[in-house]
Amino acid sequence: MTRLRRGVPRERRPFGPFLVPSFRGAGSRGARGASGRARLLVMALVVALVATIMVGRLVQLQIVDGAKNARAAADINTRDVVVPAQRGRILAADGTVLVGNGSTTTLTISPQALARDDAPKVIARVASAIGRDPLSLLARTKACGTKGAAPSPVCFAGHPFEAVPIASDVEASAANALLERPEAYPGIAVRPTATRTYGSRGDSLAQVAGYLTAATADDTGVSSSGSGVPTLLGRTGVEKQYDAVLRGRDGKRSTAIGPDGTAQRQVADVPPVAGQDVVTSIRPDVQDAAAKALADGIAAARKRGQKAGSGSVVVLEADSGNVVAMTNQPTYDPSVWNGGVTQAEYDSLLDTRAGDPLTNRATSVAGPPASTFKVFSLFAAAQTGVDPNGSYSCPSSVMIGNRSYSNFESQAHGTIDIPKALEVSCDTVFYRWAYDAWVKAGGVKASTDAPDPYTSVAREFGYGARTGVDLPAEASGSLPDRATKRREWEATKAASCRRAKSGYPEITDKDRASYLTQVAKENCTSGYVVRAGDAVNFAIGQGDVAATPMQVATSFAALATNGRVPTPRVAVATARSDGSARTALPSPEARTLSLDARMYARELEGLKRAVSTGTASEAFRGFDLDAHAVYGKTGTAEVYGKHATAWFASFGGADEDGKRYVVVVRVDEGGEGGRTAAPIARSVWDALVRRSR
């Protein structure tokens, strides 16, 4: 009989999933029973634990995360289609549609076709078939920010998987012809694209209404639909200022897709919410009159030999600040943005040589307001002790320091009162007042905080600050004072000193180069000093003071209302597109000034005489000033190396309901204010008077 060593297993017997060792010898049967029961218990515990985990996970999936998982499953098995919201319209005060909605046919190319080597040839064939420039179509396929891409909005700003629009406003017959030959035009598709319609007033309101382009990656807070339908955003004008109101909210239609890729059922339908209309205070008849008068006036000035490259007209309700009309020259057809602008079109809109037609010059371009500024300098003169009822000498010129300062065309008017000074626009009277105030403040040695009533009064009337009009990109203009000049000098001293040494060799006009070099030398050493010349030029709206037509209009509204400075606004209400509801927008609060009553009365007399017998009288010949009194001031701003800029600012009452209006005209390089700007304003006043009949 074979003997075994103690404790060494002889064989292993299977027991369930375990291998159970078997021993022979005393007590082995009992040991095996106990060991088996232990292993069974372990197995039972393991099975129970696994079952508990599985049940817990099932509860989590079905109950705790059930809704989320259902949505995830729907996302995987559904297709979403964005339903674009209809954009709100821009309406005139009488409900006339200024900017409406339409649609156009757009050709697109799929990203798959665009990735092919023959994509440029396909696009060239498309361009030939529809009569377009192939390079302009190709430019629109390059993603914004990539090498060789045109700047926005010409480049493609959508997602990589979206179809790329390459041509808009395509004739339906031409588009269908392409679709009939997919082998020649792979990846080309047709889709309708929402557009804006402008009617007959599009050009005259182009800068005021603004335009739309597709959203880009730089537009925070705006998500693209991801469906090939671009999200359009307002970029300028009312379209930008009230974009959130006009845009509305896109809808979404979700459809369940079966395993074979076919639509099975509609899962969800979130209807779009149309944008609201924006109701403006623009009056179509006055707008039309202003646009025509400005275009005609500029043409007439050019015939007289003036450059007259650009201009603006602003018409306000004096009490409310509501914008009745606003127009600019040069202008453009805003429908150029529909479907996407080409690079050539975009370049022309930004061309400064063509007058920068994209810019709203009425609110964004400031320049010297010339003699229109005198009405505010009079209030400053009163603060320095000038008697409103006094008489003052108006010689042809005066000496200020070592320089002679002359009246326009060196005319002398003898001893005159303040109304006469406004009527004939005498400069030399203002020169002397301003010089005396400058000397009293300390002259060239005055501290930066020395009192300056001329600057203080101008600031109270709103110069040097934005008016707050509800249009983007408003300029604040310039209102220099001693503190401002020192800050600017410190910031530009190094550059001025470099130019003082190098001069301006790049400028071929030797006289201008010499003038600029002399200015640079003065600015290098003492550019912070307010000189006598600075003070006297400031008093007549020349030199470094600059204002927009909107700023001048707002300040003249304060004259019309005896000191109430309104905040101008274009939009007055919102409305549902079906006309079922209209909500007035909050009216901005006006500031109230305390005007010197004696000087104010003398100013009114002088401004009335300027229109009836003074510098603007020729333009208002035949106008019924007795029935419709107009108070106005001409201005002729002289700028070195350029033709003078023509201004005319006016206010008065025209409506039977007692409304008072402000009309301001500026024609850049248009010559004399009385000869160029005043006749334009007269045509606008004719339209305002017709409204009251």
Side-chain angles (χ1 to χ4, degrees):
M1 182 176 183
T2 304
R3 298 183 64 180
L4 298 177
R5 288 176 292 176
R6 184 184 299 270
V8 178
R10 174 80 177 186
E11 60 181 329
R12 294 180 181 270
R13 295 179 181 177
F15 185 86
F18 300 99
L19 294 177
V20 181
S22 176
F23 297 91
R24 292 184 181 181
S28 64
R29 183 183 305 275
R32 286 199 304 270
S35 177
R37 287 193 296 274
R39 285 171 174 77
L40 284 174
L41 180 60
V42 170
M43 289 177 57
L45 291 174
V46 170
V47 170
L49 178 61
V50 171
T52 301
I53 292 173
M54 293 180 64
V55 170
R57 181 59 177 160
L58 185 62
V59 170
Q60 181 184 15
L61 292 174
Q62 294 291 331
I63 299 176
V64 178
D65 296 335
K68 182 177 71 175
N69 293 329
R71 287 194 299 270
D75 289 340
I76 295 173
N77 298 293
T78 61
R79 181 170 299 164
D80 294 336
V81 176
V82 172
V83 183
Q86 178 173 282
R87 192 172 179 87
R89 303 168 299 173
I90 301 175
L91 308 179
D94 63 358
T96 300
V97 178
L98 300 175
V99 181
N101 293 307
S103 63
T104 186
T105 300
T106 297
L107 292 179
T108 66
I109 184 170
S110 68
Q112 295 79 11
L114 193 58
R116 293 171 40 165
D117 293 338
D118 64 344
K121 294 181 179 180
V122 173
I123 292 174
R125 286 198 294 271
V126 171
S128 177
I130 64 176
R132 304 285 178 89
D133 176 21
L135 293 180
S136 67
L137 268 62
L138 192 62
R140 296 176 65 178
T141 66
K142 296 185 181 298
C144 295
T146 59
K147 184 178 180 180
S152 179
V154 178
C155 57
F156 176 59
H159 289 288
F161 53 82
E162 292 181 6
V164 180
I166 57 175
S168 59
D169 291 331
V170 180
E171 291 290 338
S173 57
N176 291 332
L178 300 183
L179 297 182
E180 291 172 358
R181 299 181 58 197
E183 72 285 353
Y185 305 102
I188 299 299
V190 177
R191 76 176 184 210
T193 303
T195 61
R196 294 299 250 174
T197 59
Y198 299 95
S200 61
R201 297 181 182 88
D203 292 10
S204 78
L205 280 166
Q207 299 86 0
V208 179
Y211 64 88
L212 309 172
T213 65
T216 70
D218 295 330
D219 295 307
T220 58
V222 179
S223 58
S224 176
S225 65
S227 65
V229 179
T231 298
L232 298 178
L233 300 179
R235 298 302 185 184
T236 60
V238 174
E239 295 277 27
K240 179 177 182 178
Q241 189 76 20
Y242 294 96
D243 183 74
V245 174
L246 292 163
R247 195 188 332 148
R249 188 170 64 250
D250 291 343
K252 184 172 70 173
R253 185 174 297 118
S254 301
T255 303
I257 305 300
D260 59 353
T262 61
Q264 300 294 316
R265 58 187 175 83
Q266 186 168 300
V267 176
D269 186 6
V270 179
V273 178
Q276 295 186 73
D277 294 339
V278 170
V279 183
T280 71
S281 51
I282 298 293
R283 297 181 182 175
D285 57 335
V286 182
Q287 178 70 24
D288 293 345
K292 184 178 186 304
L294 181 60
D296 292 348
I298 286 177
R302 289 174 179 172
K303 287 183 179 179
R304 294 194 299 270
Q306 302 295 333
K307 184 177 179 180
S310 55
S312 303
V313 176
V314 174
V315 184
L316 299 182
E317 286 183 3
D319 295 273
S320 65
N322 290 347
V323 177
V324 176
M326 186 189 302
T327 192
N328 296 275
Q329 284 289 340
T331 189
Y332 69 98
D333 180 2
S335 63
V336 71
W337 297 101
N338 285 337
V341 67
T342 67
Q343 185 65 55
E345 291 168 335
Y346 189 59
D347 290 343
S348 69
L349 293 176
L350 299 177
D351 189 353
T352 55
R353 295 170 299 177
D356 192 9
L358 200 61
T359 299
N360 186 348
R361 308 185 71 83
T363 60
S364 300
V365 178
S371 291
T372 64
F373 198 70
K374 289 176 180 175
V375 294
F376 311 108
S377 292
L378 278 174
F379 288 113
Q383 291 184 12
T384 66
V386 171
D387 182 3
N389 296 316
S391 295
Y392 306 92
S393 176
C394 179
S396 61
S397 64
V398 295
M399 290 297 296
I400 303 294
N402 60 356
R403 180 179 173 184
S404 177
Y405 290 81
S406 303
N407 276 334
F408 184 72
E409 296 184 346
S410 299
Q411 286 184 309
H413 297 280
T415 300
I416 61 176
D417 59 9
I418 285 176
K420 187 69 173 181
L422 292 175
E423 178 185 354
V424 301
S425 198
C426 176
D427 291 337
T428 53
V429 169
F430 288 85
Y431 290 150
R432 283 178 167 168
W433 292 337
Y435 178 70
D436 291 344
W438 175 79
V439 170
K440 185 177 180 180
V444 294
K445 296 181 179 180
S447 62
T448 56
D449 59 353
D452 185 350
Y454 284 85
T455 300
S456 299
V457 168
R459 186 174 290 112
E460 288 178 355
F461 277 94
Y463 289 91
R466 296 180 179 90
T467 66
V469 64
D470 54 344
L471 291 174
E474 184 186 10
S476 60
S478 174
L479 190 66
D481 56 21
R482 289 179 175 86
T484 301
K485 283 184 72 71
R486 177 168 282 279
R487 287 195 299 269
E488 292 178 350
W489 174 72
E490 291 172 349
T492 60
K493 179 183 177 181
S496 296
C497 292
R498 284 195 298 270
R499 281 297 189 178
K501 293 180 179 180
S502 67
Y504 291 82
E506 71 276 13
I507 297 179
T508 57
D509 184 339
K510 293 183 178 180
D511 289 339
R512 179 162 179 77
S514 176
Y515 168 78
L516 292 175
T517 301
Q518 183 60 36
V519 171
K521 289 179 179 179
E522 292 179 358
N523 287 338
C524 175
T525 58
S526 56
Y528 61 91
V529 175
V530 175
R531 299 178 177 85
D534 297 326
V536 299
N537 275 323
F538 183 92
I540 63 166
Q542 292 279 176
D544 293 333
V545 62
T548 66
M550 180 59 76
Q551 287 175 312
V552 174
T554 304
S555 65
F556 267 70
L559 289 178
T561 58
N562 193 11
R564 191 173 183 273
V565 186
T567 299
R569 62 173 182 170
V570 176
V572 296
T574 61
R576 292 182 181 175
S577 57
D578 59 4
S580 61
R582 175 169 172 159
T583 304
L585 292 172
S587 180
E589 292 186 6
R591 294 184 296 109
T592 302
L593 307 180
S594 179
L595 304 183
D596 184 296
R598 294 170 64 223
M599 185 60 81
Y600 180 60
R602 299 300 275 166
E603 285 197 26
L604 291 181
E605 182 181 348
L607 294 175
K608 190 172 184 178
R609 284 160 56 175
V611 175
S612 60
T613 57
T615 54
S617 59
E618 185 62 30
F620 280 82
R621 188 181 300 276
F623 188 89
D624 191 351
L625 292 170
D626 292 331
H628 305 282
V630 175
Y631 304 79
K633 185 71 192 75
T634 57
T636 305
E638 299 179 26
V639 181
Y640 184 88
K642 296 183 178 181
H643 294 186
T645 288
W647 284 89
F648 184 70
S650 57
F651 61 87
D655 275 1
E656 292 178 348
D657 59 6
K659 286 186 178 179
R660 293 171 287 193
Y661 296 92
V662 176
V663 178
V664 171
V665 177
R666 182 182 72 187
V667 178
D668 302 300
E669 298 192 77
E672 298 176 33
R675 196 173 185 188
T676 298
I680 296 171
R682 159 67 189 274
S683 296
V684 177
W685 280 108
D686 284 339
L688 289 169
V689 167
R690 283 195 298 271
R691 287 184 57 83
S692 66
R693 293 174 180 171

